[in-house]
Amino acid sequence: MALTFGLLAGTLSLGLSILAWVVVSSNLVSEAKAHAVTEAVLDRDAVQAAVVHGPEAVDKALPAKVRSGKSPLALVGGHWLSGAPGFGPEQLPVDLRKGHAPMEGVVQRTSVADAPYLVVALPLQPSGNAYFEWIPEGALGPMLQRLALGLTASALVMTAVGLLLGRSATGLALRPLASLGSVAGRVARGDLSARLPTDDDPDLREIATSFNATIDELQRRVRMESRFALDVSHELRTPLTTMLNSVEVIRNRRENLPRDVREPLDMLTADVQRFRSLVVDLLEFSRDDAGDRLVSEEVVIADLVRHAADAAAGRCVTVVDPEAEGVVMAVEKRRLERVVANLVGNAETHGAGCTEVRVSRSDGVARILVDDAGPGVPPSERRRVFDRFARGDGRGSAVGSPDGVSGSGIGLAIVERHVTLHGGKVSVDSSPSGGARFIVDLPIASPASTRRVLAGSADRSHPGGPDGALG
């Protein structure tokens, strides 16, 4: 549309410029020629009076006409008589020189020594004689040049204005679609609070209303499903806690059990632990989907990462750059500890071991790097690893959920969810050592919904919080 506006404006302005050039230049040249003929006729009349006395009298009369740059030339009795040096029959246009004696006044534009002139040819009596006069164009040439430049500039300006108008019109016409695309993108990223304005464009009001109603219904369904999952997870806590305690009691007496019972006990323990991890992960997601808000507190980010990473790895793996020491951020401690623990656990379980967790700071961002010694994550899977229930392809890809037993496919999705809630972003790349590197960037000025300073928050140190044994 912008290009069409520009081409239309350019075509119209070019046509009008050509028309204006033809009309105005023709009028200017015609006026200049008419003025030149008038002057030449007056000078010719003076020379005509000397013709009756012979060529000698004409030759004496011509220099008197050399004034204001005009240069006369006469043909009398077959003899060329010039009133100014450098202006002879050789300087006449070919058709005038051949015609010798014009029947009526003829005016042409010509140049002599690169200077523009109007040459006027008039007949003299008796027949066969002629009078020629070169008159400088004066301001005619520069005037025509300025006219051409002005019309060219106006055509270019009109073309540019057409492009700008086209772009403006395009933006105005497509603004509702851009708004729809923006809101749809926010919904696709999980922001179900996004809505289209219904008062901006009457023509799109029905579409906006229908779109908003669809999002309202989607949000309602998501909340219902999340609430259901949350309720089911809570209902599972009591029997799961009983199962965990019972299994632990039996494991404490493992040596007293027959050998053929020990292997089923180990399998039962692993399955119960896997079940516990899955319930905890579902609780985590259900709380977020059900509208659980971010509650932040001020923490020293290096200390939090060091504590969570070293505990998850069972050894010292954390390195803090000097500029990151002492950096205080407003975060929800439980969620961020879960982020670090999940990444380190993922490296331990699926990445052949965590090699290093580094905390650095640059440009108002706190960065957490988690490197492992595994085969890395193929570029084609680097976006998919953060999807719910995503798993590796079974060929050594460092994709999974760090539940300590096997991947439930939720751990990295929880990482992305918690990092996004803190206004940050998480990505995966290749480690310099060849494994996978998970990168967490958090703005130091965290956009927390609530800020509070606590001396300690042990009740939020685990995924389940203070809800019981599942924490």
Side-chain angles (χ1 to χ4, degrees):
M1 188 181 294
L3 183 60
T4 300
F5 266 82
L7 290 176
L8 180 61
T11 302
L12 291 176
S13 60
L14 181 61
L16 292 175
S17 297
I18 293 175
L19 179 62
W21 165 260
V22 171
V23 173
V24 176
S25 62
S26 297
N27 287 338
L28 290 175
V29 172
S30 297
E31 290 180 3
K33 287 182 176 181
H35 181 70
V37 169
T38 301
E39 290 188 8
V41 168
L42 294 176
D43 296 336
R44 189 271 310 267
D45 292 342
V47 173
Q48 181 67 59
V51 171
V52 297
H53 301 291
E56 294 80 4
V58 174
D59 192 36
K60 292 180 180 180
L62 287 177
K65 305 305 176 185
V66 182
R67 63 184 186 277
S68 302
K70 293 187 292 185
S71 303
L73 176 68
L75 176 62
V76 178
H79 299 284
W80 291 98
L81 305 173
S82 176
F87 289 87
E90 296 80 5
Q91 281 70 44
L92 288 173
V94 176
D95 54 342
L96 292 182
R97 190 165 63 245
K98 288 181 178 180
H100 295 316
M103 298 302 294
E104 57 184 9
V106 177
V107 184
Q108 290 190 16
R109 297 181 68 190
T110 185
S111 61
V112 178
D114 297 329
Y117 288 90
L118 291 173
V119 60
V120 183
L122 298 169
L124 286 174
Q125 298 298 327
S127 179
N129 297 328
Y131 176 78
F132 305 91
E133 186 172 274
W134 285 270
I135 300 175
E137 282 191 352
L140 178 62
M143 190 179 299
L144 293 175
Q145 187 177 11
R146 288 195 298 270
L147 176 63
L149 291 176
L151 292 175
T152 302
S154 65
L156 294 176
V157 169
M158 288 301 297
T159 302
V161 170
L163 287 172
L164 292 176
L165 287 177
R167 183 171 183 177
S168 177
T170 303
L172 185 63
L174 298 181
R175 185 171 58 186
L177 294 180
S179 178
L180 176 62
S182 176
V183 173
R186 290 172 57 189
V187 173
R189 292 190 295 270
D191 182 8
L192 297 183
S193 64
R195 295 293 184 274
L196 280 175
T198 57
D199 299 329
D200 291 351
D201 192 334
D203 296 329
L204 294 178
R205 184 174 300 155
E206 184 176 352
I207 295 177
T209 302
S210 177
F211 181 84
N212 291 341
T214 302
I215 301 304
D216 289 338
E217 178 63 19
L218 175 62
Q219 188 176 35
R220 186 184 69 83
R221 289 179 176 271
V222 168
R223 286 180 176 174
M224 288 180 58
E225 293 175 359
S226 299
R227 178 56 60 182
F228 172 75
L230 185 61
D231 292 342
V232 170
S233 299
H234 275 291
E235 290 298 325
L236 290 174
R237 286 188 312 164
T238 300
L240 183 56
T241 302
T242 302
M243 292 171 61
L244 286 169
N245 292 336
S246 299
V247 168
E248 189 63 26
V249 170
I250 297 174
R251 287 187 63 192
N252 291 336
R253 295 169 172 77
R254 185 174 185 277
E255 298 300 326
N256 300 327
L257 297 175
R259 291 184 177 276
D260 56 351
V261 177
R262 295 177 186 178
E263 183 177 354
L265 175 62
D266 294 337
M267 295 174 60
L268 176 63
T269 302
D271 285 340
V272 171
Q273 290 293 341
R274 186 183 299 109
F275 186 28
R276 169 195 172 278
S277 176
L278 180 59
V279 171
V280 169
D281 288 343
L282 289 175
L283 275 171
E284 194 80 17
F285 261 115
S286 300
R287 285 169 177 163
D288 293 337
D289 291 338
D292 194 14
R293 294 175 63 84
L294 190 70
V295 180
S296 65
E297 57 188 280
E298 292 186 353
V299 299
V300 179
I301 187 66
D303 293 343
L304 184 148
V305 174
R306 184 183 291 112
H307 171 76
D310 293 352
R315 61 188 184 281
C316 181
V317 294
T318 306
V319 177
V320 180
D321 291 348
E323 65 272 11
E325 288 285 3
V327 174
V328 178
M329 295 176 57
V331 299
E332 183 164 335
K333 185 178 179 181
R334 176 185 65 84
R335 293 181 189 268
L336 195 55
E337 285 181 340
R338 183 70 186 274
V339 167
V340 176
N342 278 18
L343 292 177
V344 173
N346 187 79
E348 289 290 306
T349 306
H350 302 279
C354 179
T355 58
E356 182 181 84
V357 177
R358 179 174 292 273
V359 183
S360 61
R361 173 186 180 179
S362 64
D363 299 329
V365 173
R367 169 166 288 187
I368 304 170
L369 303 176
V370 179
D371 293 337
D372 63 42
V377 180
S380 59
E381 294 187 10
R382 289 178 181 175
R383 176 58 262 176
R384 191 180 68 85
V385 297
F386 297 105
D387 294 340
R388 298 186 189 185
F389 304 107
R391 296 174 182 268
D393 56 9
R395 293 174 293 180
S397 175
V399 181
S401 174
D403 55 25
V405 181
S406 64
S408 64
I410 306 180
L412 294 181
I414 292 176
V415 168
E416 184 182 44
R417 174 69 66 90
H418 289 349
V419 171
T420 302
L421 286 175
H422 283 86
K425 61 180 181 180
V426 59
S427 59
V428 60
D429 204 344
S430 297
S431 171
S433 61
R437 164 172 285 183
F438 285 85
I439 306 167
V440 177
D441 288 328
L442 297 171
I444 293 179
S446 181
S449 58
T450 307
R451 296 173 63 91
R452 62 178 182 173
V453 180
L454 299 178
S457 57
D459 59 325
R460 290 188 172 270
S461 299
H462 302 284
D467 293 330
L470 288 183

